[in-house]
Amino acid sequence: MSEQAAKGPDDAVLRHNEAYKRFEAQLGSETAVASYMRVRDTYIFTHTEVPDAFEGRGIGSRLVRYALEHVKAEGRSVAPLCPFVKGYIERHPEYKSLVKMGM
């Protein structure tokens, strides 16, 4: 697991769990995840899951923003196969430059 963890709103702990190939937002015993596969320099986001306890609190959006900022800091690209990640990028054009062309 990445040693870089950040506290988000609602005291959710945001982290990159490299062993499980996902970004996580943990609040209490619940965990929201944005799963990915890595191919060379591209994070291919495949699935985002937010527990019912997190619904309507913006945790999924905060998690995806955290993940995209991580990708950006590494100088890598994104292939948003997950509809949630794709929708987030469409609503936040500052991340469109991360999207791998042809995806």
Side-chain angles (χ1 to χ4, degrees):
M1 185 176 318
S2 173
E3 293 185 22
Q4 296 181 358
K7 286 255 184 174
D10 298 324
D11 289 333
V13 176
L14 304 170
R15 67 178 158 253
H16 180 203
N17 187 333
E18 292 179 81
Y20 287 99
K21 293 183 173 57
R22 66 188 194 183
F23 290 88
E24 302 173 336
Q26 179 132 17
L27 185 59
S29 63
E30 300 283 347
T31 305
V33 299
S35 300
Y36 66 86
M37 297 182 300
R38 272 275 307 276
V39 177
R40 292 180 289 285
D41 68 342
T42 302
Y43 283 82
I44 303 169
F45 284 94
T46 58
H47 180 69
T48 301
E49 187 170 337
V50 178
D52 291 341
F54 287 175
E55 287 293 327
R57 296 170 68 178
I59 298 293
S61 292
R62 292 181 197 123
L63 174 61
V64 170
R65 181 176 57 240
Y66 176 80
L68 293 174
E69 285 295 326
H70 179 89
V71 171
K72 183 177 172 182
E74 286 189 348
R76 301 188 188 279
S77 60
V78 171
L81 299 183
C82 168
F84 188 85
V85 174
K86 183 178 180 184
Y88 185 89
I89 293 170
E90 288 172 357
R91 290 187 308 278
H92 297 88
E94 64 269 28
Y95 295 110
K96 286 187 179 182
S97 64
L98 296 176
V99 177
K100 180 103 172 156
M101 300 306 288
M103 291 300 228

Short mmCIF file of all heavy atoms in Angstrom, two decimals, residues 16 18 23 36-45 67-79 95-100:
data_model
loop_
_atom_site.label_atom_id
_atom_site.label_comp_id
_atom_site.label_asym_id
_atom_site.label_seq_id
_atom_site.Cartn_x
_atom_site.Cartn_y
_atom_site.Cartn_z
N HIS A 16 -3.49 5.33 -2.26
CA HIS A 16 -3.25 4.49 -3.42
C HIS A 16 -2.80 3.14 -2.89
O HIS A 16 -1.76 3.02 -2.26
CB HIS A 16 -2.17 5.12 -4.30
CG HIS A 16 -1.86 4.33 -5.51
ND1 HIS A 16 -0.66 4.44 -6.17
CD2 HIS A 16 -2.58 3.44 -6.22
CE1 HIS A 16 -0.65 3.63 -7.21
NE2 HIS A 16 -1.81 3.01 -7.26
N GLU A 18 -1.41 0.10 -4.13
CA GLU A 18 -0.80 -0.49 -5.32
C GLU A 18 -0.92 -2.01 -5.33
O GLU A 18 -1.04 -2.61 -6.40
CB GLU A 18 0.67 -0.10 -5.39
CG GLU A 18 0.86 1.38 -5.66
CD GLU A 18 2.31 1.76 -5.71
OE1 GLU A 18 2.91 1.55 -6.78
OE2 GLU A 18 2.82 2.26 -4.68
N PHE A 23 -7.37 2.84 -6.00
CA PHE A 23 -7.33 3.98 -5.10
C PHE A 23 -8.50 3.79 -4.14
O PHE A 23 -9.56 3.28 -4.53
CB PHE A 23 -7.46 5.29 -5.89
CG PHE A 23 -6.24 5.57 -6.72
CD1 PHE A 23 -6.12 5.08 -8.01
CD2 PHE A 23 -5.19 6.30 -6.19
CE1 PHE A 23 -4.99 5.31 -8.77
CE2 PHE A 23 -4.04 6.54 -6.94
CZ PHE A 23 -3.95 6.04 -8.23
N TYR A 36 -8.10 -0.14 -11.17
CA TYR A 36 -7.42 0.11 -12.44
C TYR A 36 -6.53 -1.06 -12.82
O TYR A 36 -6.22 -1.93 -12.02
CB TYR A 36 -6.58 1.39 -12.37
CG TYR A 36 -5.42 1.31 -11.41
CD1 TYR A 36 -4.20 0.79 -11.82
CD2 TYR A 36 -5.53 1.74 -10.10
CE1 TYR A 36 -3.12 0.70 -10.94
CE2 TYR A 36 -4.48 1.65 -9.21
CZ TYR A 36 -3.27 1.13 -9.65
OH TYR A 36 -2.21 1.03 -8.78
N MET A 37 -6.10 -1.04 -14.08
CA MET A 37 -5.03 -1.89 -14.59
C MET A 37 -3.96 -0.92 -15.08
O MET A 37 -4.29 0.18 -15.52
CB MET A 37 -5.50 -2.75 -15.77
CG MET A 37 -6.58 -3.73 -15.43
SD MET A 37 -7.04 -4.76 -16.87
CE MET A 37 -7.59 -3.54 -18.05
N ARG A 38 -2.71 -1.31 -15.02
CA ARG A 38 -1.64 -0.48 -15.55
C ARG A 38 -1.06 -1.15 -16.78
O ARG A 38 -0.68 -2.32 -16.73
CB ARG A 38 -0.52 -0.29 -14.54
CG ARG A 38 -0.65 0.84 -13.57
CD ARG A 38 -0.16 2.18 -14.05
NE ARG A 38 1.18 2.24 -14.56
CZ ARG A 38 2.27 2.37 -13.80
NH1 ARG A 38 2.19 2.43 -12.50
NH2 ARG A 38 3.45 2.44 -14.38
N VAL A 39 -1.01 -0.42 -17.88
CA VAL A 39 -0.33 -0.88 -19.09
C VAL A 39 0.66 0.21 -19.45
O VAL A 39 0.27 1.34 -19.77
CB VAL A 39 -1.34 -1.13 -20.24
CG1 VAL A 39 -0.59 -1.52 -21.50
CG2 VAL A 39 -2.35 -2.19 -19.85
N ARG A 40 1.93 -0.13 -19.32
CA ARG A 40 3.02 0.83 -19.53
C ARG A 40 2.76 2.11 -18.73
O ARG A 40 2.74 2.05 -17.51
CB ARG A 40 3.25 1.08 -21.01
CG ARG A 40 3.81 -0.16 -21.73
CD ARG A 40 4.04 0.08 -23.21
NE ARG A 40 2.83 0.19 -24.00
CZ ARG A 40 2.06 -0.84 -24.36
NH1 ARG A 40 2.36 -2.06 -23.96
NH2 ARG A 40 0.99 -0.66 -25.11
N ASP A 41 2.54 3.23 -19.38
CA ASP A 41 2.39 4.49 -18.66
C ASP A 41 0.93 4.92 -18.52
O ASP A 41 0.65 6.07 -18.24
CB ASP A 41 3.20 5.60 -19.35
CG ASP A 41 2.65 5.98 -20.70
OD1 ASP A 41 1.86 5.20 -21.28
OD2 ASP A 41 2.99 7.07 -21.20
N THR A 42 0.01 3.98 -18.68
CA THR A 42 -1.42 4.33 -18.64
C THR A 42 -2.15 3.59 -17.52
O THR A 42 -2.03 2.37 -17.38
CB THR A 42 -2.09 3.98 -19.99
OG1 THR A 42 -1.41 4.68 -21.03
CG2 THR A 42 -3.56 4.37 -19.99
N TYR A 43 -2.90 4.36 -16.74
CA TYR A 43 -3.82 3.79 -15.76
C TYR A 43 -5.15 3.59 -16.47
O TYR A 43 -5.76 4.56 -16.93
CB TYR A 43 -4.04 4.75 -14.59
CG TYR A 43 -2.91 4.79 -13.60
CD1 TYR A 43 -1.78 5.56 -13.81
CD2 TYR A 43 -3.01 4.08 -12.40
CE1 TYR A 43 -0.76 5.61 -12.87
CE2 TYR A 43 -2.00 4.12 -11.46
CZ TYR A 43 -0.87 4.89 -11.70
OH TYR A 43 0.13 4.95 -10.78
N ILE A 44 -5.60 2.36 -16.58
CA ILE A 44 -6.88 2.05 -17.20
C ILE A 44 -7.89 1.84 -16.08
O ILE A 44 -7.87 0.80 -15.41
CB ILE A 44 -6.79 0.80 -18.10
CG1 ILE A 44 -5.71 1.01 -19.17
CG2 ILE A 44 -8.14 0.49 -18.72
CD1 ILE A 44 -5.36 -0.26 -19.94
N PHE A 45 -8.73 2.85 -15.85
CA PHE A 45 -9.72 2.75 -14.77
C PHE A 45 -10.88 1.88 -15.24
O PHE A 45 -11.52 2.16 -16.25
CB PHE A 45 -10.19 4.14 -14.34
CG PHE A 45 -9.17 4.84 -13.50
CD1 PHE A 45 -8.26 5.70 -14.07
CD2 PHE A 45 -9.11 4.60 -12.14
CE1 PHE A 45 -7.29 6.33 -13.29
CE2 PHE A 45 -8.15 5.22 -11.35
CZ PHE A 45 -7.24 6.09 -11.92
N ALA A 67 -7.25 10.21 -7.36
CA ALA A 67 -6.60 9.28 -8.28
C ALA A 67 -6.02 10.01 -9.49
O ALA A 67 -4.88 9.76 -9.91
CB ALA A 67 -7.60 8.21 -8.72
N LEU A 68 -6.81 10.92 -10.06
CA LEU A 68 -6.34 11.66 -11.24
C LEU A 68 -5.17 12.57 -10.91
O LEU A 68 -4.24 12.72 -11.71
CB LEU A 68 -7.50 12.45 -11.86
CG LEU A 68 -8.61 11.59 -12.47
CD1 LEU A 68 -9.77 12.46 -12.92
CD2 LEU A 68 -8.09 10.72 -13.61
N GLU A 69 -5.18 13.16 -9.73
CA GLU A 69 -4.04 14.00 -9.31
C GLU A 69 -2.79 13.13 -9.14
O GLU A 69 -1.69 13.57 -9.46
CB GLU A 69 -4.37 14.75 -8.02
CG GLU A 69 -5.31 15.92 -8.22
CD GLU A 69 -4.72 17.03 -9.09
OE1 GLU A 69 -3.48 17.27 -9.03
OE2 GLU A 69 -5.50 17.67 -9.82
N HIS A 70 -2.96 11.92 -8.66
CA HIS A 70 -1.84 10.99 -8.52
C HIS A 70 -1.26 10.66 -9.90
O HIS A 70 -0.04 10.71 -10.10
CB HIS A 70 -2.31 9.71 -7.82
CG HIS A 70 -1.24 8.69 -7.66
ND1 HIS A 70 -0.42 8.64 -6.56
CD2 HIS A 70 -0.85 7.67 -8.47
CE1 HIS A 70 0.44 7.65 -6.70
NE2 HIS A 70 0.20 7.04 -7.85
N VAL A 71 -2.13 10.34 -10.84
CA VAL A 71 -1.70 10.02 -12.21
C VAL A 71 -0.97 11.22 -12.82
O VAL A 71 0.09 11.08 -13.43
CB VAL A 71 -2.91 9.61 -13.08
CG1 VAL A 71 -2.51 9.49 -14.54
CG2 VAL A 71 -3.52 8.31 -12.57
N LYS A 72 -1.55 12.39 -12.64
CA LYS A 72 -0.95 13.62 -13.16
C LYS A 72 0.44 13.86 -12.58
O LYS A 72 1.39 14.19 -13.30
CB LYS A 72 -1.87 14.80 -12.83
CG LYS A 72 -1.44 16.12 -13.37
CD LYS A 72 -2.50 17.15 -13.01
CE LYS A 72 -2.10 18.54 -13.33
NZ LYS A 72 -3.13 19.52 -12.91
N ALA A 73 0.58 13.67 -11.26
CA ALA A 73 1.87 13.88 -10.60
C ALA A 73 2.93 12.91 -11.11
O ALA A 73 4.11 13.24 -11.15
CB ALA A 73 1.72 13.75 -9.09
N GLU A 74 2.51 11.72 -11.51
CA GLU A 74 3.44 10.72 -12.06
C GLU A 74 3.75 10.98 -13.54
O GLU A 74 4.62 10.32 -14.10
CB GLU A 74 2.86 9.31 -11.93
CG GLU A 74 2.88 8.75 -10.54
CD GLU A 74 2.50 7.28 -10.50
OE1 GLU A 74 1.98 6.75 -11.51
OE2 GLU A 74 2.71 6.68 -9.45
N GLY A 75 3.02 11.90 -14.17
CA GLY A 75 3.24 12.17 -15.59
C GLY A 75 2.73 11.06 -16.48
O GLY A 75 3.25 10.84 -17.58
N ARG A 76 1.71 10.36 -16.03
CA ARG A 76 1.15 9.23 -16.79
C ARG A 76 -0.19 9.63 -17.42
O ARG A 76 -0.65 10.74 -17.25
CB ARG A 76 1.01 8.02 -15.89
CG ARG A 76 2.36 7.60 -15.30
CD ARG A 76 2.28 6.31 -14.56
NE ARG A 76 3.51 6.01 -13.84
CZ ARG A 76 4.60 5.49 -14.38
NH1 ARG A 76 4.64 5.22 -15.66
NH2 ARG A 76 5.65 5.23 -13.65
N SER A 77 -0.80 8.70 -18.13
CA SER A 77 -2.07 8.97 -18.79
C SER A 77 -3.17 8.07 -18.24
O SER A 77 -2.90 7.15 -17.46
CB SER A 77 -1.94 8.81 -20.30
OG SER A 77 -1.56 7.49 -20.61
N VAL A 78 -4.40 8.34 -18.69
CA VAL A 78 -5.58 7.65 -18.20
C VAL A 78 -6.39 7.12 -19.37
O VAL A 78 -6.53 7.80 -20.39
CB VAL A 78 -6.47 8.63 -17.39
CG1 VAL A 78 -7.81 8.03 -17.04
CG2 VAL A 78 -5.76 9.10 -16.14
N ALA A 79 -6.94 5.93 -19.20
CA ALA A 79 -7.95 5.39 -20.12
C ALA A 79 -9.17 5.12 -19.24
O ALA A 79 -9.18 4.16 -18.46
CB ALA A 79 -7.46 4.12 -20.78
N TYR A 95 -8.78 17.73 -16.47
CA TYR A 95 -8.19 16.39 -16.51
C TYR A 95 -8.22 15.76 -17.90
O TYR A 95 -7.68 14.67 -18.09
CB TYR A 95 -8.88 15.47 -15.50
CG TYR A 95 -8.66 15.91 -14.08
CD1 TYR A 95 -9.70 16.42 -13.33
CD2 TYR A 95 -7.40 15.83 -13.50
CE1 TYR A 95 -9.49 16.85 -12.02
CE2 TYR A 95 -7.18 16.26 -12.20
CZ TYR A 95 -8.23 16.77 -11.46
OH TYR A 95 -8.02 17.19 -10.17
N LYS A 96 -8.83 16.42 -18.87
CA LYS A 96 -8.92 15.85 -20.22
C LYS A 96 -7.56 15.61 -20.86
O LYS A 96 -7.40 14.70 -21.66
CB LYS A 96 -9.79 16.73 -21.12
CG LYS A 96 -11.27 16.60 -20.77
CD LYS A 96 -12.14 17.32 -21.74
CE LYS A 96 -13.60 17.11 -21.33
NZ LYS A 96 -14.52 17.75 -22.25
N SER A 97 -6.58 16.41 -20.49
CA SER A 97 -5.24 16.22 -21.06
C SER A 97 -4.59 14.91 -20.61
O SER A 97 -3.63 14.45 -21.23
CB SER A 97 -4.34 17.40 -20.69
OG SER A 97 -4.14 17.44 -19.28
N LEU A 98 -5.13 14.29 -19.57
CA LEU A 98 -4.58 13.02 -19.09
C LEU A 98 -5.09 11.84 -19.91
O LEU A 98 -4.50 10.75 -19.86
CB LEU A 98 -4.97 12.77 -17.63
CG LEU A 98 -4.43 13.74 -16.59
CD1 LEU A 98 -5.00 13.39 -15.22
CD2 LEU A 98 -2.93 13.73 -16.56
N VAL A 99 -6.19 12.03 -20.63
CA VAL A 99 -6.82 10.91 -21.34
C VAL A 99 -5.98 10.48 -22.52
O VAL A 99 -5.60 11.27 -23.36
CB VAL A 99 -8.25 11.28 -21.79
CG1 VAL A 99 -8.88 10.15 -22.59
CG2 VAL A 99 -9.12 11.62 -20.58
N LYS A 100 -5.72 9.18 -22.54
CA LYS A 100 -4.93 8.59 -23.62
C LYS A 100 -5.71 8.70 -24.92
O LYS A 100 -6.88 8.31 -24.99
CB LYS A 100 -4.65 7.12 -23.29
CG LYS A 100 -3.85 6.40 -24.30
CD LYS A 100 -2.46 6.25 -23.83
CE LYS A 100 -1.70 5.33 -24.76
NZ LYS A 100 -0.31 5.58 -24.68
#
